[in-house]
Amino acid sequence: MSSCSDLEGHDRGGLSSEQTIESQEHGSEWAASSSARMEVVEVGEATTKVDPLLDRKTLILSRDAILHVKPSSREACLVVLYPAGPLLGKRIRLEKDSYVIGRHPDADIHIPAESVSRRHARLVRRQSMWSIEDLNSTNGTYVNRVRLRPAVAEALRDGELIYCGEYHLKFLAGHNVEAAYHDLLYESSTLDGLTGTHNRRYFQDFLEREVAAAARHGRPLSLIMMDIDHFKKVNDSMGHPVGDLVLREVSDRIRERIRREDLFARYGGEEFVIVLRETGADGAKAFAESVRKLIESLTIQTEHGPVHITASFGVATSTGTHSLTPSALIELADKRLYRAKNRGRNRVVGNE
């Protein structure tokens, strides 16, 4: 990847040759103003006008005085958010006016993945504005999950997500890209790049804290483990991009049901977990059943036609009188999930 220097420029905000700023003699509010009868007194680089009728002063600063600041740095970059691997978190500085993204070794931004076409997409900068166009790729180029029409440029805004095959890239642009990049790295360490849910590492830390707090206060804590049924068939028959779409759609719908104090996370593959604070076995099982019905009712539209899926659930609860360790809680929920699979899938298994 090439390295780039900062792009610099001014934001003049349409200033005229003079910018007038007015204040009350004893006030702190400032506003643009003009006065027909004023006495003008030169004060260094600025000018003061005294209005004898209004008994107030107007300070006039020249354009040079206002714009005598160091130009702000403007830059842009892409950050790899998904999948996990050596490129995860990689920052690609955008320095030239045009970049081709593709699998071919000569591509400006080389992504060595079969789901990415040899010449997949092109990034173009015109007058500091960036756009992207699909180069008739096999799996398409998406911006914020909307597929681009081939050879039609789409303007990019700061923070938008670009999908090329299985790779997810975040576009950053503006005056403070460095800070945004480091914030994104922190998010990447706690969030799953594909679904935007919390990741397994964050879940394990969260569960450790919540189990300790529940035991200390004698309150129940429940864990739901969920697995999408026959997900491998979706990947094998329709391809991984469709499988990724299914995971994102399911995650988005479940996330809407999660309370602020609870946690929804991707545990791995097509498996997810939900931690419910102060929720007993019956409440957790009822919640899992509501999520099961939600997933069963989904119709996910894909390029290969609609997809209908189901999921299986295992529910375990640590009570105030009988507390489980985090590992024991996970093991129990996993066993019950396995039992749900063996009983025909698309069901919830909890305390029996």
Side-chain angles (χ1 to χ4, degrees):
M1 305 298 175
S2 62
S3 125
C4 77
S5 58
D6 294 341
L7 304 176
E8 296 188 346
H10 294 289
D11 183 7
R12 294 180 178 251
L15 292 173
S16 59
S17 59
E18 289 186 329
Q19 176 73 33
T20 303
I21 303 175
E22 181 184 275
S23 76
Q24 299 287 348
E25 184 175 9
H26 301 293
S28 60
E29 294 185 358
W30 296 76
S33 172
S34 63
S35 180
R37 290 173 291 186
M38 288 190 180
E39 177 184 357
V40 179
V41 181
E42 297 293 337
V43 184
E45 292 184 345
T47 303
T48 300
K49 289 186 179 180
V50 180
D51 188 335
L53 297 180
L54 301 178
D55 190 27
R56 56 185 178 183
K57 299 179 181 180
T58 300
L59 178 66
I60 301 178
L61 299 178
S62 69
R63 177 194 291 271
D64 290 340
I66 293 174
L67 295 179
H68 187 63
V69 295
K70 184 177 179 180
S72 297
S73 169
R74 293 187 62 86
E75 56 181 316
C77 69
L78 297 177
V79 182
V80 179
L81 297 184
Y82 185 85
L87 295 181
L88 181 64
K90 174 74 175 178
R91 173 169 53 177
I92 306 162
R93 296 182 183 273
L94 302 179
E95 193 173 42
K96 303 187 299 180
D97 289 332
S98 179
Y99 290 84
V100 171
I101 301 172
R103 192 177 76 247
H104 195 280
D106 292 337
D108 301 301
I109 300 175
H110 176 222
I111 301 179
E114 287 299 319
S115 60
V116 177
S117 296
R118 293 168 65 82
R119 286 171 52 84
H120 197 103
R122 179 186 290 114
L123 289 164
V124 177
R125 176 177 57 190
R126 294 184 180 90
Q127 297 181 346
S128 79
M129 299 297 293
W130 285 92
S131 63
I132 185 169
E133 60 179 299
D134 180 71
L135 300 179
N136 201 28
S137 63
T138 300
N139 291 318
T141 303
Y142 295 76
V143 175
N144 293 340
R145 304 186 186 178
V146 177
R147 185 164 186 166
L148 304 183
R149 289 178 294 165
V152 176
E154 176 76 18
L156 283 173
R157 292 182 291 272
D158 178 42
E160 291 194 312
L161 289 170
I162 300 169
Y163 300 89
C164 295
E166 66 192 272
Y167 274 77
H168 303 176
L169 313 168
K170 188 153 192 174
F171 175 74
L172 298 178
H175 295 282
N176 205 3
V177 168
E178 190 68 26
Y181 172 64
H182 287 290
D183 288 344
L184 190 59
L185 284 185
Y186 172 74
E187 288 183 6
S188 298
S189 69
T190 61
L191 298 180
D192 173 58
L194 176 64
T195 62
T197 64
H198 283 98
N199 59 22
R200 181 169 178 164
R201 173 184 171 185
Y202 185 90
F203 156 70
Q204 289 173 328
D205 290 342
F206 182 89
L207 187 64
E208 190 85 31
R209 294 192 303 270
E210 292 305 314
V211 165
R216 185 166 58 251
H217 297 291
R219 296 169 182 168
L221 179 76
S222 291
L223 172 65
I224 300 171
M225 299 197 78
M226 173 198 118
D227 188 85
I228 297 176
D229 299 327
H230 302 297
F231 184 73
K232 187 175 184 300
K233 290 183 179 179
V234 176
N235 277 335
D236 291 346
S237 61
M238 298 185 177
H240 287 278
V242 172
D244 288 350
L245 174 62
V246 168
L247 292 175
R248 290 195 298 266
E249 290 290 333
V250 169
S251 298
D252 288 347
R253 295 300 300 274
I254 295 176
R255 193 184 294 115
E256 296 171 355
R257 299 284 186 95
I258 304 300
R259 299 180 302 182
R260 183 183 298 272
E261 64 268 27
D262 297 331
L263 178 73
F264 175 51
R266 187 181 180 194
Y267 194 66
E270 65 272 24
E271 195 168 4
F272 296 85
V273 290
I274 302 170
V275 180
L276 301 175
R277 287 173 168 170
E278 299 187 19
T279 304
D282 292 341
K285 189 173 181 180
F287 182 79
E289 180 63 24
S290 72
V291 175
R292 186 198 66 78
K293 290 178 179 178
L294 170 69
I295 294 172
E296 186 181 38
S297 68
L298 285 180
T299 299
I300 301 172
Q301 300 296 339
T302 75
E303 295 176 0
H304 299 274
V307 173
H308 297 276
I309 58 169
T310 60
S312 301
F313 298 78
V315 181
T317 300
S318 177
T319 66
T321 56
H322 181 61
S323 298
L324 298 175
T325 64
S327 58
L329 196 61
I330 292 173
E331 182 179 359
L332 181 57
D334 190 55
K335 284 181 178 178
R336 290 174 176 172
L337 170 60
Y338 185 75
R339 198 176 300 159
K341 292 281 188 182
N342 284 341
R343 291 181 181 177
R345 298 180 169 84
N346 190 26
R347 66 190 65 234
V348 175
V349 172
N351 287 338
E352 297 177 330

